[in-house]
Amino acid sequence: MRILVVEDEADLGDAVLRHLRRQGYAVDWLRDGQAAHDVLSYQSYDLIVLDIGLPRRDGFSVLRWLRERGDRTPVLMLTARAKIEDRVSALDVGADDYLSKPFDLREFDARCRALLRRTQGVASGVTTVGSLVFDRGARSATLDGRMLHLPNREYRLLEILIGNVGAVVSKHEIASQLFDFDGEAGDNAIELYIGRLRRKLGSAVIIRTVRGVGYVAEAAGSGNEA
């Protein structure tokens, strides 16, 4: 999952960036509204964390522009303003949720997870594919009741594939969700993580290569393992 954080407070922005990257998300951090407008003109995200009080162009303006152009990317609005009118305005303009600063990172995580589930069209935080149980809330994956050890990027790659079970996910889609602007997004890197996941999943969940296109995850016994 790829997340854009737009926050001009250096300490908060850096803390959120590091926190999300430690969890394996691909994260880009911008410090003003105009920069966000420019990047969002060509780069798509699964979630946008957007501060209201930004230099050059405020968060309301960025959000209004997004919605007017038909972009439905979930937006979590951050505000230091205590007035109920500001929160109502954020929702009226098109925010999906808001969080008042300062906030607890545990609540921030929960709100991000809820919005990212919407992106994938997943109502529950738990997805079962064959004998694999993928729990986004607990940030865990179990196979036949045994906990899988998945470093951050392997976990996020599995999340991408599980969120699209039975559908081909292109290498470009995987790269855009798994790596940020500073990350290594080459085909070799993706193949490396795919190989590691295959070894851990064994024959319970099949990750097929669709040559020249990408990958598709399927439950064992679906009839498409070849």
Side-chain angles (χ1 to χ4, degrees):
M1 302 291 103
R2 188 163 184 170
I3 300 175
L4 175 65
V5 176
V6 191
E7 171 59 61
D8 64 319
E9 291 182 28
D11 289 344
L12 178 59
D14 184 63
V16 170
L17 175 76
R18 291 175 181 274
H19 178 73
L20 291 173
R21 282 185 174 171
R22 278 196 299 268
Q23 298 179 67
Y25 291 111
V27 188
D28 299 317
W29 173 29
L30 300 174
R31 295 166 175 78
D32 71 76
Q34 186 58 49
H37 174 278
D38 295 343
V39 169
L40 287 167
S41 296
Y42 64 85
Q43 177 65 54
S44 61
Y45 290 88
D46 298 287
L47 173 65
I48 300 169
V49 179
L50 182 64
D51 186 28
I52 290 179
L54 294 168
R56 298 179 67 201
R57 189 166 186 161
D58 68 26
F60 284 137
S61 173
V62 174
L63 179 57
R64 189 175 294 108
W65 167 77
L66 274 176
R67 297 312 188 221
E68 287 175 352
R69 70 197 292 257
D71 190 323
R72 308 313 301 171
T73 303
V75 173
L76 173 60
M77 212 83 173
L78 302 181
T79 176
R81 307 175 185 183
K83 293 182 180 178
I84 188 64
E85 290 82 1
D86 292 314
R87 303 177 202 173
V88 170
S89 295
L91 296 173
D92 283 345
V93 170
D96 297 271
D97 200 356
Y98 68 85
L99 195 56
S100 298
K101 297 188 285 187
F103 51 81
D104 189 300
L105 286 173
R106 292 170 296 179
E107 181 180 6
F108 175 77
D109 285 344
R111 290 176 184 268
C112 287
R113 284 196 301 269
L115 293 177
L116 286 167
R117 285 201 299 271
R118 270 190 230 175
T119 301
Q120 293 188 308
V122 178
S124 168
V126 179
T127 300
T128 301
V129 180
S131 57
L132 174 72
V133 178
F134 189 85
D135 188 334
R136 294 168 181 80
R139 201 186 172 283
S140 67
T142 58
L143 190 61
D144 294 319
R146 175 178 55 86
M147 187 75 71
L148 292 178
H149 172 66
L150 298 173
N152 287 332
R153 280 206 171 130
E154 290 176 33
Y155 176 86
R156 293 304 170 194
L157 175 57
L158 182 58
E159 183 178 30
I160 293 166
L161 295 171
I162 291 301
N164 296 275
V165 170
V168 177
V169 184
S170 72
K171 287 186 176 181
H172 174 74
E173 289 176 281
I174 291 173
S176 68
Q177 295 182 62
L178 202 61
F179 302 99
D180 49 49
F181 287 140
D182 300 324
E184 174 54 59
D187 286 351
N188 289 342
I190 295 172
E191 289 167 7
L192 175 66
Y193 292 121
I194 288 287
R196 290 176 179 173
L197 270 185
R198 281 176 171 152
R199 287 192 291 273
K200 292 178 180 180
L201 295 173
S203 59
V205 177
I206 307 301
I207 301 177
R208 288 195 299 114
T209 299
V210 181
R211 196 169 299 280
V213 182
Y215 303 93
V216 56
E218 299 165 332
S222 64
N224 296 313
E225 290 91 343

